[in-house]
Every structure is written in C-alpha cells, then in structure tokens.
C-alpha cells in the first residue's frame, strides 16, 4: 500500500518526522507499506513553483492514505488563492473529494490537569465532531472582490449546500454514532439562514432511517456554550464546514492542547487524508518544541481507517498512552520535552 507523506510548512516537517519514526517503529520492517514524500504548501512553491505541484497531487491521488503535516506561511491570506500555501490543503481536499472530516476530541486521563476547564467537566471526554469539508462558505460561488455602483469595494462569499451534500454527511454521522454512544447533535443556524434550514430539514429526514440513534439540533452559538459547559453530553456533532472549523478548535481546548488532536478526512472509499488539527504554527516553527502527538495520532487513525492495520494502530495508541503515563510532556501540555524527545518517548514504548 502507498502512503503519501506531505510534511509541508511550519512545524509540519518537525512533527511529521517524529510521526514517521513512530509509524515505522509500530509497523516493523515487513509492513508492506511504501512511504512517498512530496512537497506541498510553501515547500511546493520552492520545489516546483506551485503550492500544490502536479506531481504531489498525482502522488496523493494514487495513495491509499495521505499523511499531511501542515501548510501555510505568515501573511498567507494576502497571497492570491492559487499561489497561497495554506490553500493547497483546501485544493487537495476538494480534488480528492474528501467531504467528511472526523475530528475526535478525547482526553487522555494523564492530561486532565492540562485542560483549562475543571476536572469534572472534561474527565473522560470522548466526543467527535464530524465536519463537512468540501462545501459551505469555503467553496460556494460566487465569491470574490468587486466594486459596487458607488465605487466602494466589496467582497462576497456564498454559503451554499445542496441536499445531496447534506445527505451524505448526515448518513455518515448516524452510522458513526451507531458505533459509539448512539447520539447525533446537528449544529446549524436555521433561525437565520436558509441554507441552514435546508441543513436541518435534510438531517431530520435522514435521521428517520436511523430510529435507534438519538438526534438533537442546536444553533451554533448555543452549541459553543454547551461545549464549554457540559461537553460530555455530546457524542457525535455533525455540522457544516465553517461551523465545524470553529467548533473543533474550541473542542481542542477541552483536551488541554490543540497539539493532541488528530483528524481524518475521508471521501466515498477508504482512502483518507490524516493531519494534526494544529496547522503550521509559525510562532513556534523551527524551535523544536511542537508536540508531535497530534501527528502520531493522525497516523494511528490512518492505520485504522485506510490501511487495515488495526493491530498496529492499537499498538501505537497504547504507546502514546504509556509515554504520557511515564510523564513525557511537551511544553503545550505542561512539560519540557522537545519534539524529538517526545517522538523518542513514544518510540521507546514500542
Ligand atoms: C483546519 C484549518 C484549515 C481550515 C485552514 C488551514 C485552511 O483551520 O483544518 O481547521 O480552515 O479548514
Ligand atoms: Mg481550523
């Protein structure tokens, strides 16, 4: 099986390097997995004059799983879309039709003290945000800058969802909930936006096919409050691209550090893109202090979901738990280990 390794920018290469070491240690020599590295983001611009070089895209298209580090540089937002390093990730998600983004937020017992929330609020937390990833304001047309009749500049983005797009993510939410605690909360803004009225209608309709799953609806503002107040009341949260982006950073903080959270983006088949939620983090890039656990846990998800290597995934997950048990901590979770030392702590457990 082929695995594309796209380390990218910022702390991407630092954490990816450690995650690859952990992956190799978990698998051993005879795993039958081929790792193929390719540049993306600013690294793609430097290597091939394009944040998403054709060759990288080709490798990603052919891979069974994509291990992604991070893409983006400071000032990214001022660069035109097709040359913007950070947008390479969006283009990749869209090209591969990875419409379903699974963002679990779970707390290792060892890290209860790392959360800014009280122990009783977060202890044992295990929720999943299922974020739609290829629609909404991110990709809706029309979009862009223009000048109005009076010569004033304006800009527009379009929040758009088709019934089919909502249906397929809703089905996944219910199917996922069946394997967990049987609850789906759909988050929208149906009190204001037509597109979100459609969202609620379609999710409700799809829900009738899953009478064994409990469905609730929440407006996004109320959902943020509930997430901070009683996060353990949730099981699966299904939501659109924009709300999912925002809610998942919030959920990350429940677990103490965004440096802990992996994510999987899937399309129709088993192929997926796996990445840490944290992004390129230019403020700490190059210092060797980033937490590699989100990247390691992303690769763990790849083994489980795309590569059919469940026993190795279990082994890798357990090793992370034991490393934390043994007191291994990077700065973001209250310790002093460097990225390399944290990676080594996990490898030592393997
Ligand atoms: C994420 C990130 C991306 C997004 C950025 C880097 C484009 O914030 O994966 O949550 O907004 O989707
Ligand atoms: Mg985000």
């Amino acid at each position: 099986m082929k695995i594309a390794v796209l380390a990218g920018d910022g702390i991407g290469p630092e954490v990816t390097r450690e995650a690859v070491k952990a992956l190799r240690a978990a698998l051993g020599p005879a795993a039958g997995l081929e790792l193929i590295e390719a540049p993306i983001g600013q690294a793609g611009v430097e290597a091939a004059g394009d944040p998403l070089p054709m060759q990288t895209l080709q490798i990603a298209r052919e891979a069974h799983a994509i291990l992604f580090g991070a893409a983006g540089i400071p000032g990214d937002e001022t660069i035109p879309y097709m040359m913007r390093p950070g947008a390479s990730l969006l283009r990749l998600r869209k090209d591969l039709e990875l419409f379903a983004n699974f963002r679990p937020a779970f707390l290792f017992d060892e890290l209860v003290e790392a959360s800014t929330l009280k122990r009783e609020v977060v202890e044992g937390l295990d929720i999943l945000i299922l974020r739609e990833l290829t629609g909404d304001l991110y990709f809706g047309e029309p979009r862009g800058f223009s000048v109005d009749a009076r010569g004033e500049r304006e800009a527009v983005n379009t929040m758009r969802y088709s019934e089919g797009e909502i249906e397929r993510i809703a089905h996944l939410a219910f199917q996922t909930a069946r394997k967990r605690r049987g609850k789906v909360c759909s988050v929208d803004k149906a009190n204001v936006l037509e597109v979100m009225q459609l969202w609620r209608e379609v999710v409700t309709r799809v829900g009738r096919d899953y009478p064994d799953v409990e469905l609730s609806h929440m407006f996004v503002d109320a959902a943020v409050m509930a997430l901070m107040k009683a996060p353990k009341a949730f099981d699966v949260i299904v939501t659109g691209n924009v709300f999912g982006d925002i809610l998942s950073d919030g959920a990350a903080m429940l677990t103490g550090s965004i440096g802990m959270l992996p994510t999987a983006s899937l399309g129709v088949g088993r192929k997926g893109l796996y990445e840490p939620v944290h992004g390129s983090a230019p403020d700490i890039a190059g210092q060797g202090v980033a937490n590699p656990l989100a990247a390691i846990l992303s690769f763990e998800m790849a083994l489980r979901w795309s590569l059919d290597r469940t026993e190795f995934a279990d082994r890798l997950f357990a090793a992370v738990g034991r490393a934390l048990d043994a007191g291994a901590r990077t700065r973001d979770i209250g310790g002093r280990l460097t990225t390399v030392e944290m990676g080594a702590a996990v490898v030592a457990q393997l």
Side-chain angles (χ1 to χ4, degrees), residues 117 121 223-231 234 247 250-251 253-254:
L117 280 91
V121 176
V224 172
M225 277 209 294
L227 203 54
M228 297 303 131
K229 188 167 175 230
F234 291 103
L247 283 175
M253 277 326 288
L254 301 172

Side-chain angles (χ1 to χ4, degrees), residues 237-261:
I237 295 176
V238 63
T239 189
N241 205 345
V242 174
F243 298 160
D245 178 46
I246 299 165
L247 283 175
S248 60
D249 272 28
M253 277 326 288
L254 301 172
T255 71
S257 169
I258 199 166
M260 293 299 300
L261 289 192

Side-chain angles (χ1 to χ4, degrees), residues 132 161-171 195 198-200 202-203 206:
E132 200 291 330
Y161 269 118
S162 68
E163 286 191 299
E165 285 174 311
I166 303 167
E167 263 166 25
R168 62 182 183 180
I169 195 81
H171 276 292
V195 53
L198 184 68
W199 178 280
R200 189 174 286 217
V202 173
V203 172
V206 171

Side-chain angles (χ1 to χ4, degrees), residues 142-344:
R143 67 183 297 161
F145 296 94
S146 55
V147 179
D148 73 8
R150 287 179 311 192
E152 193 176 354
R153 286 186 76 212
E154 56 178 21
V156 67
N157 289 91
T158 304
M159 186 178 259
R160 180 188 301 271
Y161 269 118
S162 68
E163 286 191 299
E165 285 174 311
I166 303 167
E167 263 166 25
R168 62 182 183 180
I169 195 81
H171 276 292
L172 262 184
F174 291 110
Q175 286 160 12
T176 306
R178 270 187 176 160
K179 293 185 223 146
R180 295 172 50 97
R181 297 188 298 280
K183 287 200 290 185
V184 169
C185 177
S186 170
V187 172
D188 62 40
K189 191 71 185 174
N191 51 338
V192 182
L193 307 168
E194 283 80 2
V195 53
M196 288 290 138
Q197 282 171 17
L198 184 68
W199 178 280
R200 189 174 286 217
E201 229 175 78
V202 173
V203 172
T204 305
R205 189 173 70 217
V206 171
R208 292 195 193 108
D209 294 347
Y210 303 85
D212 51 319
V213 177
E214 180 192 320
L215 171 64
S216 60
H217 304 271
M218 247 187 223
F219 299 136
V220 63
D221 48 353
V224 172
M225 277 209 294
L227 203 54
M228 297 303 131
K229 188 167 175 230
K232 285 189 273 181
F234 291 103
D235 179 17
V236 175
I237 295 176
V238 63
T239 189
N241 205 345
V242 174
F243 298 160
D245 178 46
I246 299 165
L247 283 175
S248 60
D249 272 28
M253 277 326 288
L254 301 172
T255 71
S257 169
I258 199 166
M260 293 299 300
L261 289 192
T263 151
S265 303
L266 302 182
V268 263
R270 293 205 66 187
K271 178 201 191 98
L273 182 146
Y274 299 83
E275 58 179 316
V277 172
H278 53 60
S280 58
D283 54 325
I284 56 163
Q287 296 174 24
V289 297
N291 186 348
L293 291 185
I296 291 174
L297 292 169
S298 300
F299 292 13
E300 183 261 349
M301 286 180 95
L303 289 173
R304 210 178 281 286
W305 293 20
S306 285
L307 302 167
D308 246 331
R309 298 289 200 281
T310 313
E311 70 281 16
F312 297 104
D314 290 344
R315 199 184 286 177
L316 190 51
F317 193 83
V320 170
R322 283 198 305 273
L324 289 170
D325 247 344
R329 300 277 190 285
T330 41
R331 209 170 67 179
D332 57 309
I333 47 176
R336 298 160 159 252
L337 292 193
T338 64
T339 310
V340 174
E341 287 165 345
M342 191 65 169

Side-chain angles (χ1 to χ4, degrees), residues 60-61 66 91-98 267 271 273:
R61 282 178 181 157
I66 299 151
R91 288 164 59 199
L92 195 58
R93 288 171 179 169
K94 191 74 178 170
D95 183 89
L96 302 175
E97 276 185 82
L98 304 171
K271 178 201 191 98
L273 182 146

